[in-house]
């Protein structure tokens, strides 16, 4: 599964230890304007506040590299977790 959303690529992945399928949203930092960085920080903040909500994908981790930022989320597929 691949999708481009506002300069981000979203794909499914498998956690190597647990085998759980997750969604990974990768954002290239070079494509972000100052307003985008603010919006991205707000998105992470909102996801933290909504942790535990049954209809919102849970943020499992945030990983930052020199050129990219990765948000790891619960994967919802075909209406299922």
């Amino acid at each position: 599964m691949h999708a481009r959303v506002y300069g981000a690529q979203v794909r499914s992945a498998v956690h190597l230890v647990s085998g759980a399928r997750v969604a990974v949203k990768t954002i290239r930092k070079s494509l972000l304007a100052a307003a985008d960085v603010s919006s991205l920080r707000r998105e992470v903040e909102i996801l933290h506040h909504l942790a535990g909500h049954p209809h919102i994908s849970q943020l499992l981790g945030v990983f930052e590299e020199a050129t990219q930022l990765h948000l790891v989320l619960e994967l919802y597929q075909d209406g299922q977790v």
Side-chain angles (χ1 to χ4, degrees):
M1 170 180 88
H2 294 279
R4 287 225 178 256
V5 182
Y6 304 109
Q9 181 180 23
V10 180
R11 62 191 184 287
S12 63
V14 176
H15 187 276
L16 294 177
V17 175
S18 71
R21 294 186 55 82
V22 296
V24 179
K25 181 178 183 180
T26 300
I27 300 114
R28 287 191 355 212
K29 291 180 180 180
S30 63
L31 299 177
L32 296 176
D36 295 331
V37 172
S38 177
S39 294
L40 184 57
R41 285 191 179 128
R42 182 75 177 139
E43 177 181 351
V44 170
E45 185 179 315
I46 289 169
L47 287 170
H48 277 297
H49 281 84
L50 293 174
H53 191 285
H55 303 292
I56 303 293
S57 207
Q58 300 301 299
L59 179 63
L60 304 173
V62 178
F63 301 93
E64 186 170 359
E65 296 180 294
T67 60
Q68 299 181 85
L69 181 69
H70 309 279
L71 303 179
V72 181
L73 302 143
E74 279 183 309
L75 176 66
Y76 285 87
Q77 227 172 335
D78 300 326
Q80 301 295 321
V81 176

